Amino acid sequence: MSTGLAVMLLGTFAAPVVLLWGGHRMRRRSRRWRQAFWGGVIGHIIAIVVGTTAGMIPPEEWVATDVVRGFFAFWSFLVFPLLGGLAGWLRGH
Amino acid sequence: MKRRAPDRRHKLTRGSFYTHLWVGIVITIALTVICVTGILLNHKRGLGLMPEVDRDSSAPFTSALPLAELARLAMAAVPSAEGDDPAVRVDRMDVRPRDGLIKVRLRDAASTEVTLDLSSGRVLHVGRRGDVFLEKLHSGEIFGRRWVLLSDAAAVGLLITLITGYWLWLFPKIRHTDPAAGAEPGGGESAS
């Protein structure tokens, strides 16, 4: 299994589980936690749209140096929620 | 004894709620991809994802050229550096006796399909099969043959979500018509 595929699977299945866990008992959580949660959710929703679209680019348009498509289709599902969560965490300071 | 049935129902409802929630969230992305690719595949002709050649057969099927000759003509229509070995370049050959044509799908990135006249070998159309990639993405096969299990898991997840969702819709109605069931904190209406 390639690193990209492993990251995509983590972003597809593990990231939503972490978000779901993080969303429990929100009223008792700190402001930072809540902001990080919402940042993660927004990041994940953006990743679903962007990643799904990038994943449907037909193979004849792929090139060996296609870093952008690879990033959006494989890495965005994990990176975007992490970035969103981090941004929310910092914003909630 | 009378309390046992409602308790079991309440437990089932709580279990259904959390199963519905967790399974639904976990399979969201997989189902989104399956749904979008499914819609695109349903309209593959309208979207021009597969070449369509409308033609009625003029020659009898008995006058069809040999498969090897048709494969050679198809490969000649799409020159490649990989040579002319049908075992390497040809993915499949789809014979349509009623239409008098054969569709030769090549094993390249675009899944190029060459449509030929069965009896004369004339090239009728050369185009890419965009739906092949979408089909593989739809089934999960794009990552390898074993990855169809990913699609299976999403389908099972959807089934579980449907069943639990149906129960969450049904439970408050049963509760309101059955006085023995009583009110349930955290389940029933609040869960759905």
Side-chain angles (χ1 to χ4, degrees), chain B residues 133-157:
Chain B
F133 169 69
L134 284 175
E135 265 175 27
K136 287 182 177 175
L137 198 62
H138 188 73
S139 66
E141 204 186 333
I142 193 82
F143 305 115
R145 280 183 186 274
R146 287 182 184 175
W147 288 94
V148 292
L149 292 172
L150 193 73
S151 178
D152 291 346
V156 171

Side-chain angles (χ1 to χ4, degrees), chain B residues 6-176:
Chain B
D7 280 352
R8 203 176 292 158
R9 256 184 242 160
H10 292 155
K11 278 181 183 171
L12 184 64
T13 305
R14 280 187 84 82
S16 293
F17 171 69
Y18 284 108
T19 307
H20 191 79
L21 181 70
W22 285 80
V23 174
I25 289 287
V26 167
I27 63 169
T28 300
I29 294 178
L31 274 185
T32 305
V33 173
I34 289 170
C35 291
V36 173
T37 51
I39 292 167
L40 292 173
L41 284 170
N42 279 346
H43 302 281
K44 59 186 176 186
R45 284 185 176 83
L47 293 167
L49 292 170
M50 64 177 286
E52 199 65 27
V53 180
D54 291 325
R55 189 170 169 277
D56 289 324
S57 175
S58 52
F61 187 59
T62 47
S63 67
L65 293 173
L67 286 178
E69 176 64 9
L70 290 164
R72 191 190 64 76
L73 290 167
M75 287 186 290
V78 186
S80 167
E82 290 179 358
D84 285 337
D85 183 4
V88 175
R89 286 195 64 200
V90 176
D91 180 34
R92 64 190 66 182
M93 298 172 79
D94 179 9
V95 181
R96 306 284 176 93
R98 204 163 34 178
D99 301 327
L101 52 85
I102 182 167
K103 293 180 172 188
V104 183
R105 195 188 298 174
L106 302 176
R107 294 178 67 182
D108 54 14
S111 298
T112 309
E113 190 173 79
V114 183
T115 310
L116 301 141
D117 186 290
L118 259 177
S119 45
S120 71
R122 189 166 58 88
V123 176
L124 301 171
H125 189 269
V126 179
R128 66 184 188 92
R129 286 291 300 252
D131 60 318
V132 174
F133 169 69
L134 284 175
E135 265 175 27
K136 287 182 177 175
L137 198 62
H138 188 73
S139 66
E141 204 186 333
I142 193 82
F143 305 115
R145 280 183 186 274
R146 287 182 184 175
W147 288 94
V148 292
L149 292 172
L150 193 73
S151 178
D152 291 346
V156 171
L158 178 62
L159 208 56
I160 291 168
T161 313
L162 286 173
I163 292 165
T164 51
Y166 197 85
W167 175 253
L168 289 171
W169 165 75
L170 200 65
F171 177 71
K173 297 181 192 308
I174 294 170
R175 197 181 56 171
H176 286 136

Side-chain angles (χ1 to χ4, degrees), chain A residues 65-87:
Chain A
T65 52
D66 201 352
V67 181
V68 177
R69 186 195 64 84
F71 173 75
F72 285 126
F74 288 96
W75 289 76
S76 69
F77 294 114
L78 187 66
V79 172
F80 281 18
L82 282 174
L83 286 177
L86 184 68

